[in-house]
Amino acid sequence: MVSDRKKLTAVLGVTGGIACYKAVELVRLLVKDDFTVRVIMTHGAREFVTPLTFQTLSGNPVATDPFDLTQESEIGHINLADSADIFVIAPATANVIGKIAAGIADDLLTTVLMATKAPVLIAPAMNIHMYENPILQENLRKLRRVGYYFIEPTEGFLACGYEGKGRLPEPENILAEIQRLLRKKDLADERLLITAGPNREPIDPVRYISNRSSGKMGYALARAGLNRGAAVTLVSGPTALEPPAGARLIPVTTAAEMRRAVLEEFPSCTAVIMAAAVSDYRPIEYSSTKMKRGKTPLELRLEPNPDILKELGAKKDGKLLIGFAAETDDLAANAKKKLREKNLDMIVANDVTQEGSGFDGDTNIATIVDRSGASRALPLMTKDELADQILDHLLALKSRR
Ligand code: PMT
């Protein structure tokens, strides 16, 4: 598919799980996409598929043993690490993920991985209970924190007989993720100010009003921006997410705090993307002690919060302003109204009543509307994919300026 680029090298680590057979197809797809593919197999992987299969498909010798003198003189573990434009482990077992997270390098795969400077994409595949195991989840969080990329396992029938999350994604999807990670750094000149997550507006020391935003959309934008070379400042309401490695995180709680942080960062950014679900209202009165339960109905009086994006739209200052619109009805009309009223360059409208769209999930269904009135309805996709689409639009808008 990619013809006008220099030939890139994918080093593929294959570990011992039944999904090894899908790694064979992945090698075929990578070669077809003009990658040089160099495969490293663990001992466990060789119990499932022979090195000859990978060698035949990749056209390169398969590396297996760090202490094999012939392999070391012909391939060399440092040479392998240096040759990678991307390092992929698919399938990745719980064992290899645990070893990497612990800094163990006791076989060829973990040793080469330790020495590489290339981006690393890990595709876990295992039994659902292993995947949900808190130790594995802690290891995934640790590796995300230090900058490793993951492609989530999919749900379905597992070889162990269970149904659930744990299947290796289809090789086409792993290839698409590899291509996404290797995109050129087309945002290297951008300083993105991104907001994410909900606000919490306190009622008393233990209660607050908030909304269902998880922060996933904003964090996906931050990851995509970083991956494409942008400097990213992420102003985030409270979330349970790991901050993307490399982003400057400014944690906030209330809409007023978010406004303060955004206004402070605004002068030094080139574009703002407000994916946060800013609280439109806050309680007028705050009780400094826990409010007691009573027998009569309780009335909470709320006052509106300032509209942060509208305030930025009034300044503008040559920056590109991108808003989101979470709608439950009349998607396009409401989005266009917000775009106009807030003086935005683009708005991403999501119908939050649709299955797979809006709050909390890993996917979204959005329509992108720009200042010219042009709108593009996008199908269901992951928030990571949508983030890239939004950034593509941002670049297109810039080029038209
Ligand atoms: O976080 P997730 O769980 O991944 O969910 C993603 C999302 C649904 C929160 C996201 O896709 C989204 O739609 N974010 C905007 C939600 C929202 O507040 O929409 P709105 O239509 O109320 O606001 C319009 C725009 O103005 C938004 O860009 C908002 O950030 C901004 N705004 C709103 C109110 C306010 N007081 N100040 C603002 O700046």
Side-chain angles (χ1 to χ4, degrees):
M1 186 193 98
V2 184
S3 53
D4 58 344
R5 65 163 199 222
K6 113 180 189 322
K7 207 165 160 88
L8 296 171
T9 297
V11 172
L12 173 66
V14 184
T15 69
I18 185 67
C20 276
Y21 75 94
K22 285 188 176 171
V24 173
E25 176 63 5
L26 178 60
V27 171
R28 199 186 65 76
L29 293 178
L30 282 164
V31 169
K32 195 162 157 236
D33 199 35
D34 210 24
F35 278 88
T36 299
V37 184
R38 309 187 61 179
V39 178
I40 305 173
M41 297 180 80
T42 61
H43 177 74
R46 281 177 275 144
E47 297 289 328
F48 288 90
V49 181
T50 65
L52 185 60
T53 310
F54 286 106
Q55 185 159 314
T56 309
L57 282 170
S58 69
N60 282 313
V62 170
T64 52
D65 184 353
F67 303 113
D68 182 316
L69 289 180
T70 316
Q71 276 192 18
E72 188 54 27
S73 67
E74 282 175 6
I75 309 175
H77 69 281
I78 298 298
N79 173 21
L80 253 180
D82 289 346
S83 72
D85 292 291
I86 186 151
F87 203 117
V88 184
I89 305 182
T93 56
N95 178 52
V96 83
I97 291 168
K99 286 205 291 188
I100 302 166
I104 294 171
D106 67 347
D107 62 6
L108 189 66
L109 174 57
T110 45
T111 307
V112 177
L113 184 74
M114 188 76 101
T116 193
K117 290 278 191 197
V120 177
L121 174 66
I122 300 180
M126 62 198 71
N127 161 273
I128 180 174
H129 296 146
M130 290 170 83
Y131 188 69
E132 287 171 349
N133 185 299
I135 297 171
L136 179 92
Q137 288 298 324
E138 183 57 37
N139 288 336
L140 297 181
R141 277 194 292 278
K142 180 171 178 188
L143 292 176
R144 277 202 180 92
R145 234 179 359 250
V146 294
Y148 287 81
Y149 298 97
F150 284 86
I151 179 164
E152 297 254 313
T154 55
E155 291 193 23
F157 179 75
L158 303 172
C160 53
Y162 282 95
E163 288 246 9
K165 194 165 179 173
R167 285 172 64 87
L168 187 71
E170 291 311 311
E172 293 78 9
N173 296 338
I174 301 177
L175 176 65
E177 192 58 21
I178 292 169
Q179 289 165 336
R180 205 175 66 77
L181 287 172
L182 286 171
R183 285 173 94 121
K184 59 184 186 310
K185 304 290 181 200
D186 52 2
L187 292 172
D189 294 335
E190 300 298 326
R191 293 182 304 280
L192 303 179
L193 174 55
I194 298 171
T195 66
N199 295 124
R200 288 181 185 169
E201 303 294 337
I203 298 168
D204 69 13
V206 297
R207 303 182 179 94
Y208 55 80
I209 51 173
S210 188
N211 60 59
R212 291 174 40 225
S213 169
S214 62
K216 286 181 181 172
M217 191 64 245
Y219 280 54
L221 281 158
R223 272 195 303 277
L226 288 163
N227 188 36
R228 292 169 69 165
V232 173
T233 299
L234 180 62
V235 178
S236 174
T239 75
L241 305 175
E242 279 300 321
R248 193 158 75 85
L249 179 76
I250 305 182
V252 296
T253 304
T254 64
E257 286 170 18
M258 183 167 273
R259 173 179 171 271
R260 217 171 301 130
V262 167
L263 291 181
E264 211 167 294
E265 297 300 320
F266 186 63
S268 52
C269 76
T270 55
V272 180
I273 313 179
M274 292 239 3
V278 182
S279 277
D280 281 313
Y281 291 92
R282 63 180 170 223
I284 293 182
E285 281 132 27
Y286 172 75
S287 166
S288 58
T289 52
K290 186 180 166 204
M291 288 163 66
K292 303 284 176 292
R293 186 185 147 84
K295 292 216 162 69
T296 52
L298 173 72
E299 267 183 30
L300 258 187
R301 294 200 331 121
L302 306 175
E303 63 186 350
N305 269 321
D307 188 323
I308 306 172
L309 204 42
K310 200 166 176 182
E311 214 171 321
L312 300 182
K315 297 177 193 271
K316 208 74 190 251
D317 246 357
K319 328 267 187 203
L320 226 108
L321 290 188
I322 301 176
F324 271 73
E327 301 297 340
T328 53
D329 55 282
D330 240 342
L331 186 72
N334 284 330
K336 283 182 183 163
K337 187 162 174 271
K338 283 179 186 166
L339 179 123
R340 233 182 4 260
E341 285 176 358
K342 300 187 191 219
N343 193 20
L344 307 178
D345 297 284
M346 180 170 122
I347 194 152
V348 183
N350 32 205
D351 177 349
V352 294
T353 61
Q354 278 195 67
E355 173 93 31
S357 174
F359 292 95
D360 199 25
D362 293 318
T363 59
N364 209 346
I365 307 170
T367 298
I368 297 183
V369 185
D370 71 29
R371 260 180 111 78
S372 68
S375 74
R376 184 152 166 245
L378 299 169
L380 176 89
M381 59 182 70
T382 64
K383 286 182 174 168
D384 284 320
E385 287 163 343
L386 176 58
D388 267 321
Q389 297 265 357
I390 294 168
L391 296 178
D392 288 346
H393 272 72
L394 178 150
L395 274 179
L397 286 180
K398 282 245 148 150
S399 70
R400 274 189 247 141
R401 276 185 155 186

